[in-house]
Amino acid sequence: MGNQKSTGVYPCYKNQFSVGATKETATGIADAETFDVSFDNGVEEWNPFDTEGWIRRLQTSKGITISVTAKRNVGDTGNDYIAGKAFLNGRDTEGYFAWNFPDGTVVAFEQAVINVTNIGAGDSTAVAPLEFDVMSNGKPTITLPTSMASSVPISK
């Protein structure tokens, strides 16, 4: 699904995610419904004399948090992998996570922090949720499709 390239506008469900202990063992996550992405950017500011009061700025740090809502699906490898992080702490909450865009771009986090925020709680007649944040932990590996790789500079 995530490896098929497309052009033009697309529905959000064309974004796909892979999760696992390693890239080689990563699988999709069944019954994921929504995701939100936030970029946490660190910007330094200073006011030199030569800018006559105008602020200078430089972005010096970056982080990404992907918040996902899903239904708890016992027996699905990806869903079980996420749920298994709920009661862990420290380095045990880390795992591989990849965001696969419809154009073929892949943003891979080798040691993402998987922060489970809800597992199974809700109304008595609701389907049990699985909610979690995937938080960057260092710089991700960004792989661009061949058609974009020559036109978009991404430095390592």
PDB file of all heavy atoms in Angstrom, residues 12-39:
ATOM      1  N   CYS A  12      -6.495  11.011   3.288  1.00  0.00           N
ATOM      2  CA  CYS A  12      -5.527  10.766   4.367  1.00  0.00           C
ATOM      3  C   CYS A  12      -5.240   9.295   4.591  1.00  0.00           C
ATOM      4  O   CYS A  12      -4.145   8.939   5.018  1.00  0.00           O
ATOM      5  CB  CYS A  12      -6.020  11.405   5.664  1.00  0.00           C
ATOM      6  SG  CYS A  12      -5.884  13.204   5.649  1.00  0.00           S
ATOM      7  N   TYR A  13      -6.196   8.413   4.289  1.00  0.00           N
ATOM      8  CA  TYR A  13      -5.943   6.993   4.524  1.00  0.00           C
ATOM      9  C   TYR A  13      -4.838   6.430   3.642  1.00  0.00           C
ATOM     10  O   TYR A  13      -4.346   5.332   3.883  1.00  0.00           O
ATOM     11  CB  TYR A  13      -7.215   6.148   4.390  1.00  0.00           C
ATOM     12  CG  TYR A  13      -7.791   6.049   2.997  1.00  0.00           C
ATOM     13  CD1 TYR A  13      -7.220   5.196   2.042  1.00  0.00           C
ATOM     14  CD2 TYR A  13      -8.919   6.776   2.648  1.00  0.00           C
ATOM     15  CE1 TYR A  13      -7.756   5.106   0.769  1.00  0.00           C
ATOM     16  CE2 TYR A  13      -9.457   6.689   1.382  1.00  0.00           C
ATOM     17  CZ  TYR A  13      -8.878   5.847   0.442  1.00  0.00           C
ATOM     18  OH  TYR A  13      -9.406   5.759  -0.817  1.00  0.00           O
ATOM     19  N   LYS A  14      -4.408   7.171   2.640  1.00  0.00           N
ATOM     20  CA  LYS A  14      -3.282   6.726   1.808  1.00  0.00           C
ATOM     21  C   LYS A  14      -1.964   6.774   2.586  1.00  0.00           C
ATOM     22  O   LYS A  14      -1.001   6.139   2.190  1.00  0.00           O
ATOM     23  CB  LYS A  14      -3.169   7.566   0.541  1.00  0.00           C
ATOM     24  CG  LYS A  14      -4.305   7.342  -0.435  1.00  0.00           C
ATOM     25  CD  LYS A  14      -4.144   6.010  -1.112  1.00  0.00           C
ATOM     26  CE  LYS A  14      -5.150   5.862  -2.233  1.00  0.00           C
ATOM     27  NZ  LYS A  14      -4.946   4.636  -2.991  1.00  0.00           N
ATOM     28  N   ASN A  15      -1.906   7.557   3.667  1.00  0.00           N
ATOM     29  CA  ASN A  15      -0.746   7.509   4.563  1.00  0.00           C
ATOM     30  C   ASN A  15      -0.800   6.177   5.294  1.00  0.00           C
ATOM     31  O   ASN A  15      -1.857   5.770   5.780  1.00  0.00           O
ATOM     32  CB  ASN A  15      -0.811   8.633   5.602  1.00  0.00           C
ATOM     33  CG  ASN A  15      -0.601   9.990   5.003  1.00  0.00           C
ATOM     34  OD1 ASN A  15       0.524  10.388   4.762  1.00  0.00           O
ATOM     35  ND2 ASN A  15      -1.687  10.707   4.751  1.00  0.00           N
ATOM     36  N   GLN A  16       0.321   5.508   5.370  1.00  0.00           N
ATOM     37  CA  GLN A  16       0.368   4.230   6.068  1.00  0.00           C
ATOM     38  C   GLN A  16       1.536   4.254   7.060  1.00  0.00           C
ATOM     39  O   GLN A  16       2.507   4.986   6.865  1.00  0.00           O
ATOM     40  CB  GLN A  16       0.554   3.079   5.080  1.00  0.00           C
ATOM     41  CG  GLN A  16      -0.630   2.891   4.146  1.00  0.00           C
ATOM     42  CD  GLN A  16      -1.886   2.436   4.875  1.00  0.00           C
ATOM     43  OE1 GLN A  16      -1.852   1.479   5.646  1.00  0.00           O
ATOM     44  NE2 GLN A  16      -2.994   3.122   4.648  1.00  0.00           N
ATOM     45  N   PHE A  17       1.423   3.435   8.100  1.00  0.00           N
ATOM     46  CA  PHE A  17       2.447   3.375   9.125  1.00  0.00           C
ATOM     47  C   PHE A  17       2.931   1.947   9.307  1.00  0.00           C
ATOM     48  O   PHE A  17       2.168   0.995   9.130  1.00  0.00           O
ATOM     49  CB  PHE A  17       1.909   3.904  10.460  1.00  0.00           C
ATOM     50  CG  PHE A  17       1.424   5.311  10.377  1.00  0.00           C
ATOM     51  CD1 PHE A  17       0.072   5.602  10.333  1.00  0.00           C
ATOM     52  CD2 PHE A  17       2.330   6.358  10.324  1.00  0.00           C
ATOM     53  CE1 PHE A  17      -0.367   6.914  10.243  1.00  0.00           C
ATOM     54  CE2 PHE A  17       1.904   7.665  10.236  1.00  0.00           C
ATOM     55  CZ  PHE A  17       0.550   7.943  10.193  1.00  0.00           C
ATOM     56  N   SER A  18       4.195   1.801   9.654  1.00  0.00           N
ATOM     57  CA  SER A  18       4.786   0.499   9.969  1.00  0.00           C
ATOM     58  C   SER A  18       5.452   0.611  11.324  1.00  0.00           C
ATOM     59  O   SER A  18       6.099   1.613  11.625  1.00  0.00           O
ATOM     60  CB  SER A  18       5.849   0.122   8.929  1.00  0.00           C
ATOM     61  OG  SER A  18       5.292   0.123   7.633  1.00  0.00           O
ATOM     62  N   VAL A  19       5.320  -0.440  12.138  1.00  0.00           N
ATOM     63  CA  VAL A  19       5.892  -0.422  13.477  1.00  0.00           C
ATOM     64  C   VAL A  19       6.429  -1.807  13.820  1.00  0.00           C
ATOM     65  O   VAL A  19       5.900  -2.821  13.366  1.00  0.00           O
ATOM     66  CB  VAL A  19       4.834   0.036  14.515  1.00  0.00           C
ATOM     67  CG1 VAL A  19       3.701  -0.965  14.636  1.00  0.00           C
ATOM     68  CG2 VAL A  19       5.448   0.306  15.858  1.00  0.00           C
ATOM     69  N   GLY A  20       7.502  -1.819  14.612  1.00  0.00           N
ATOM     70  CA  GLY A  20       8.074  -3.089  15.054  1.00  0.00           C
ATOM     71  C   GLY A  20       9.369  -2.854  15.800  1.00  0.00           C
ATOM     72  O   GLY A  20       9.831  -1.722  15.940  1.00  0.00           O
ATOM     73  N   ALA A  21       9.964  -3.926  16.264  1.00  0.00           N
ATOM     74  CA  ALA A  21      11.235  -3.812  16.976  1.00  0.00           C
ATOM     75  C   ALA A  21      12.335  -3.327  16.029  1.00  0.00           C
ATOM     76  O   ALA A  21      13.230  -2.592  16.434  1.00  0.00           O
ATOM     77  CB  ALA A  21      11.609  -5.151  17.599  1.00  0.00           C
ATOM     78  N   THR A  22      12.264  -3.729  14.754  1.00  0.00           N
ATOM     79  CA  THR A  22      13.236  -3.324  13.738  1.00  0.00           C
ATOM     80  C   THR A  22      12.512  -3.063  12.434  1.00  0.00           C
ATOM     81  O   THR A  22      11.335  -3.437  12.268  1.00  0.00           O
ATOM     82  CB  THR A  22      14.289  -4.425  13.495  1.00  0.00           C
ATOM     83  OG1 THR A  22      13.622  -5.571  12.925  1.00  0.00           O
ATOM     84  CG2 THR A  22      15.012  -4.825  14.772  1.00  0.00           C
ATOM     85  N   LYS A  23      13.216  -2.486  11.485  1.00  0.00           N
ATOM     86  CA  LYS A  23      12.647  -2.245  10.149  1.00  0.00           C
ATOM     87  C   LYS A  23      12.219  -3.566   9.509  1.00  0.00           C
ATOM     88  O   LYS A  23      11.166  -3.653   8.875  1.00  0.00           O
ATOM     89  CB  LYS A  23      13.687  -1.537   9.277  1.00  0.00           C
ATOM     90  CG  LYS A  23      13.215  -1.254   7.878  1.00  0.00           C
ATOM     91  CD  LYS A  23      14.284  -0.536   7.074  1.00  0.00           C
ATOM     92  CE  LYS A  23      13.809  -0.245   5.666  1.00  0.00           C
ATOM     93  NZ  LYS A  23      14.802   0.508   4.895  1.00  0.00           N
ATOM     94  N   GLU A  24      13.032  -4.599   9.702  1.00  0.00           N
ATOM     95  CA  GLU A  24      12.760  -5.896   9.084  1.00  0.00           C
ATOM     96  C   GLU A  24      11.512  -6.578   9.647  1.00  0.00           C
ATOM     97  O   GLU A  24      10.869  -7.360   8.954  1.00  0.00           O
ATOM     98  CB  GLU A  24      13.983  -6.816   9.241  1.00  0.00           C
ATOM     99  CG  GLU A  24      15.216  -6.357   8.491  1.00  0.00           C
ATOM    100  CD  GLU A  24      15.899  -5.125   9.108  1.00  0.00           C
ATOM    101  OE1 GLU A  24      15.860  -4.957  10.345  1.00  0.00           O
ATOM    102  OE2 GLU A  24      16.457  -4.327   8.331  1.00  0.00           O
ATOM    103  N   THR A  25      11.166  -6.289  10.890  1.00  0.00           N
ATOM    104  CA  THR A  25      10.000  -6.932  11.508  1.00  0.00           C
ATOM    105  C   THR A  25       8.776  -6.020  11.534  1.00  0.00           C
ATOM    106  O   THR A  25       7.725  -6.412  12.053  1.00  0.00           O
ATOM    107  CB  THR A  25      10.316  -7.376  12.953  1.00  0.00           C
ATOM    108  OG1 THR A  25      10.639  -6.222  13.743  1.00  0.00           O
ATOM    109  CG2 THR A  25      11.457  -8.372  12.981  1.00  0.00           C
ATOM    110  N   ALA A  26       8.894  -4.805  10.987  1.00  0.00           N
ATOM    111  CA  ALA A  26       7.797  -3.833  11.048  1.00  0.00           C
ATOM    112  C   ALA A  26       6.606  -4.264  10.201  1.00  0.00           C
ATOM    113  O   ALA A  26       6.766  -4.812   9.111  1.00  0.00           O
ATOM    114  CB  ALA A  26       8.294  -2.462  10.596  1.00  0.00           C
ATOM    115  N   THR A  27       5.421  -4.022  10.737  1.00  0.00           N
ATOM    116  CA  THR A  27       4.167  -4.321  10.042  1.00  0.00           C
ATOM    117  C   THR A  27       3.227  -3.130  10.202  1.00  0.00           C
ATOM    118  O   THR A  27       3.492  -2.208  10.976  1.00  0.00           O
ATOM    119  CB  THR A  27       3.481  -5.568  10.629  1.00  0.00           C
ATOM    120  OG1 THR A  27       3.096  -5.296  11.979  1.00  0.00           O
ATOM    121  CG2 THR A  27       4.377  -6.782  10.583  1.00  0.00           C
ATOM    122  N   GLY A  28       2.106  -3.177   9.522  1.00  0.00           N
ATOM    123  CA  GLY A  28       1.084  -2.149   9.667  1.00  0.00           C
ATOM    124  C   GLY A  28       0.389  -2.259  11.019  1.00  0.00           C
ATOM    125  O   GLY A  28       0.651  -3.176  11.798  1.00  0.00           O
ATOM    126  N   ILE A  29      -0.490  -1.303  11.282  1.00  0.00           N
ATOM    127  CA  ILE A  29      -1.255  -1.275  12.536  1.00  0.00           C
ATOM    128  C   ILE A  29      -2.730  -1.354  12.172  1.00  0.00           C
ATOM    129  O   ILE A  29      -3.282  -0.408  11.587  1.00  0.00           O
ATOM    130  CB  ILE A  29      -0.983   0.020  13.325  1.00  0.00           C
ATOM    131  CG1 ILE A  29       0.515   0.217  13.553  1.00  0.00           C
ATOM    132  CG2 ILE A  29      -1.752   0.014  14.646  1.00  0.00           C
ATOM    133  CD1 ILE A  29       0.883   1.619  13.979  1.00  0.00           C
ATOM    134  N   ALA A  30      -3.375  -2.468  12.490  1.00  0.00           N
ATOM    135  CA  ALA A  30      -4.790  -2.644  12.152  1.00  0.00           C
ATOM    136  C   ALA A  30      -5.659  -1.658  12.909  1.00  0.00           C
ATOM    137  O   ALA A  30      -5.400  -1.322  14.059  1.00  0.00           O
ATOM    138  CB  ALA A  30      -5.227  -4.076  12.462  1.00  0.00           C
ATOM    139  N   ASP A  31      -6.693  -1.208  12.253  1.00  0.00           N
ATOM    140  CA  ASP A  31      -7.765  -0.395  12.832  1.00  0.00           C
ATOM    141  C   ASP A  31      -7.320   0.974  13.331  1.00  0.00           C
ATOM    142  O   ASP A  31      -7.951   1.538  14.232  1.00  0.00           O
ATOM    143  CB  ASP A  31      -8.505  -1.174  13.931  1.00  0.00           C
ATOM    144  CG  ASP A  31      -9.300  -2.326  13.333  1.00  0.00           C
ATOM    145  OD1 ASP A  31     -10.099  -2.055  12.417  1.00  0.00           O
ATOM    146  OD2 ASP A  31      -9.109  -3.476  13.757  1.00  0.00           O
ATOM    147  N   ALA A  32      -6.257   1.531  12.750  1.00  0.00           N
ATOM    148  CA  ALA A  32      -5.884   2.918  13.047  1.00  0.00           C
ATOM    149  C   ALA A  32      -6.892   3.822  12.338  1.00  0.00           C
ATOM    150  O   ALA A  32      -7.242   3.589  11.187  1.00  0.00           O
ATOM    151  CB  ALA A  32      -4.462   3.205  12.578  1.00  0.00           C
ATOM    152  N   GLU A  33      -7.387   4.834  13.042  1.00  0.00           N
ATOM    153  CA  GLU A  33      -8.446   5.692  12.510  1.00  0.00           C
ATOM    154  C   GLU A  33      -7.995   7.105  12.176  1.00  0.00           C
ATOM    155  O   GLU A  33      -8.349   7.639  11.135  1.00  0.00           O
ATOM    156  CB  GLU A  33      -9.586   5.794  13.528  1.00  0.00           C
ATOM    157  CG  GLU A  33     -10.261   4.506  13.834  1.00  0.00           C
ATOM    158  CD  GLU A  33     -11.343   4.711  14.864  1.00  0.00           C
ATOM    159  OE1 GLU A  33     -11.011   4.866  16.058  1.00  0.00           O
ATOM    160  OE2 GLU A  33     -12.515   4.752  14.463  1.00  0.00           O
ATOM    161  N   THR A  34      -7.273   7.732  13.093  1.00  0.00           N
ATOM    162  CA  THR A  34      -6.858   9.118  12.875  1.00  0.00           C
ATOM    163  C   THR A  34      -5.418   9.291  13.300  1.00  0.00           C
ATOM    164  O   THR A  34      -4.900   8.528  14.121  1.00  0.00           O
ATOM    165  CB  THR A  34      -7.703  10.125  13.682  1.00  0.00           C
ATOM    166  OG1 THR A  34      -7.440   9.958  15.071  1.00  0.00           O
ATOM    167  CG2 THR A  34      -9.190   9.966  13.409  1.00  0.00           C
ATOM    168  N   PHE A  35      -4.782  10.317  12.729  1.00  0.00           N
ATOM    169  CA  PHE A  35      -3.466  10.710  13.219  1.00  0.00           C
ATOM    170  C   PHE A  35      -3.311  12.206  13.065  1.00  0.00           C
ATOM    171  O   PHE A  35      -3.869  12.822  12.169  1.00  0.00           O
ATOM    172  CB  PHE A  35      -2.341   9.941  12.521  1.00  0.00           C
ATOM    173  CG  PHE A  35      -2.043  10.372  11.108  1.00  0.00           C
ATOM    174  CD1 PHE A  35      -0.987  11.223  10.843  1.00  0.00           C
ATOM    175  CD2 PHE A  35      -2.801   9.907  10.055  1.00  0.00           C
ATOM    176  CE1 PHE A  35      -0.698  11.620   9.544  1.00  0.00           C
ATOM    177  CE2 PHE A  35      -2.520  10.291   8.754  1.00  0.00           C
ATOM    178  CZ  PHE A  35      -1.468  11.148   8.495  1.00  0.00           C
ATOM    179  N   ASP A  36      -2.576  12.786  14.002  1.00  0.00           N
ATOM    180  CA  ASP A  36      -2.230  14.201  13.989  1.00  0.00           C
ATOM    181  C   ASP A  36      -0.718  14.292  14.097  1.00  0.00           C
ATOM    182  O   ASP A  36      -0.091  13.497  14.800  1.00  0.00           O
ATOM    183  CB  ASP A  36      -2.853  14.952  15.175  1.00  0.00           C
ATOM    184  CG  ASP A  36      -4.362  15.034  15.075  1.00  0.00           C
ATOM    185  OD1 ASP A  36      -4.854  15.461  14.028  1.00  0.00           O
ATOM    186  OD2 ASP A  36      -5.041  14.665  16.057  1.00  0.00           O
ATOM    187  N   VAL A  37      -0.150  15.260  13.415  1.00  0.00           N
ATOM    188  CA  VAL A  37       1.297  15.448  13.441  1.00  0.00           C
ATOM    189  C   VAL A  37       1.591  16.830  13.986  1.00  0.00           C
ATOM    190  O   VAL A  37       0.958  17.816  13.592  1.00  0.00           O
ATOM    191  CB  VAL A  37       1.892  15.314  12.023  1.00  0.00           C
ATOM    192  CG1 VAL A  37       3.389  15.554  12.039  1.00  0.00           C
ATOM    193  CG2 VAL A  37       1.572  13.950  11.443  1.00  0.00           C
ATOM    194  N   SER A  38       2.545  16.905  14.915  1.00  0.00           N
ATOM    195  CA  SER A  38       2.993  18.215  15.380  1.00  0.00           C
ATOM    196  C   SER A  38       4.519  18.253  15.322  1.00  0.00           C
ATOM    197  O   SER A  38       5.186  17.276  15.661  1.00  0.00           O
ATOM    198  CB  SER A  38       2.490  18.517  16.797  1.00  0.00           C
ATOM    199  OG  SER A  38       3.007  17.600  17.720  1.00  0.00           O
ATOM    200  N   PHE A  39       5.023  19.366  14.846  1.00  0.00           N
ATOM    201  CA  PHE A  39       6.456  19.610  14.785  1.00  0.00           C
ATOM    202  C   PHE A  39       6.819  20.522  15.936  1.00  0.00           C
ATOM    203  O   PHE A  39       6.198  21.569  16.129  1.00  0.00           O
ATOM    204  CB  PHE A  39       6.838  20.279  13.455  1.00  0.00           C
ATOM    205  CG  PHE A  39       6.712  19.365  12.275  1.00  0.00           C
ATOM    206  CD1 PHE A  39       5.504  19.233  11.608  1.00  0.00           C
ATOM    207  CD2 PHE A  39       7.796  18.631  11.834  1.00  0.00           C
ATOM    208  CE1 PHE A  39       5.385  18.386  10.528  1.00  0.00           C
ATOM    209  CE2 PHE A  39       7.687  17.787  10.751  1.00  0.00           C
ATOM    210  CZ  PHE A  39       6.475  17.664  10.087  1.00  0.00           C
TER     211      PHE A  39
END
